[in-house]
Amino acid sequence: MPRPNPLLAWCRSHLVRRPIAPIRGPRPLGVEVLEPREVPATFDVTSLADGGTGSGSLRSAIISANTSFQNQTNTINLRNGTYSLALGGTFEDAGATGDLDITGNQTLIIQGNGAGVTVIDAELIDRVFHVIGSGVSVTFKDLTITGGYLESTPEHLTLHGGGILNEGGNVTLSGVTITGNELTGFTD
């Protein structure tokens, strides 16, 4: 006669029969509200030429970051070559002409491929970069900033920042050469 299995006997003695819960009808689907989420923007600049919104230029990428991608970290990737600024105009703070204005509340990384390999040249039309406001944090990496020029006028007698003018933001330079920028007139 086969021997009884003690494990099987124990399981049978501890088996509790529970009633099966009735199957309910389908529940209505609901929508759960999530916190707002922002996806950091990455801009790959495709044109060495200067141009406005939608042109694939460095200026276009900065204007887009200033207007459409606030309260987040944005990265602008630059390829090898010289990015020459050509849209003249001074003392304008929207980035449409002259220097490249960085505004709003954002962290912006402008990434080159090496000083002397990636060059941003203002071609003496204005300073190169203007960082405006305490909500802006900019990191310049692996590039050269050159060709900034500003001359005082009766409306603007005191000047600062031929390469970069930082008015309240946080600017970090890593592997950056700033050279060949000039201010003329009254400086302090």
Side-chain angles (χ1 to χ4, degrees):
M1 179 162 134
R3 289 182 10 185
N5 183 333
L7 181 60
L8 186 59
W10 182 88
C11 289
R12 285 185 183 145
S13 69
H14 287 81
L15 182 64
V16 178
R17 303 236 181 235
R18 296 182 194 168
I20 298 175
I23 297 175
R24 298 180 198 170
R27 291 185 179 184
L29 295 177
V31 176
E32 182 179 341
V33 178
L34 300 175
E35 71 278 358
R37 297 181 185 192
E38 299 286 339
V39 177
T42 299
F43 303 93
D44 292 318
V45 177
T46 58
S47 174
L48 294 172
D50 199 6
T53 305
S55 66
S57 68
L58 173 58
R59 183 180 304 277
S60 174
I62 290 174
I63 291 171
S64 292
N66 288 347
T67 57
S68 301
F69 297 94
Q70 291 291 293
N71 301 310
Q72 62 186 34
T73 299
N74 301 309
T75 302
I76 298 175
N77 293 315
L78 304 175
R79 59 186 188 181
N80 297 353
T82 299
Y83 295 83
S84 297
L85 304 185
L87 302 177
T90 56
F91 306 113
E92 171 271 327
D93 292 334
T97 63
D99 57 10
L100 299 169
D101 299 307
I102 302 170
T103 64
N105 292 300
Q106 65 175 314
T107 298
L108 181 62
I109 300 166
I110 300 179
Q111 177 69 58
N113 290 320
V117 176
T118 302
V119 177
I120 303 169
D121 189 345
E123 298 283 336
L124 305 177
I125 64 167
D126 196 355
R127 72 174 52 90
V128 187
F129 288 99
H130 189 183
V131 179
I132 305 167
S134 62
V136 179
S137 180
V138 184
T139 300
F140 297 95
K141 291 184 176 181
D142 304 319
L143 51 87
T144 297
I145 297 171
T146 190
Y149 176 81
L150 212 54
E151 185 175 347
S152 67
T153 66
E155 297 83 29
H156 300 12
L157 292 176
T158 304
L159 303 175
H160 304 278
I164 301 172
L165 174 60
N166 180 16
E167 290 187 312
N170 182 15
V171 174
T172 303
L173 305 174
S174 175
V176 173
T177 300
I178 300 177
T179 184
N181 300 289
E182 184 179 341
L183 299 173
T184 33
F186 298 96
T187 61
D188 60 0

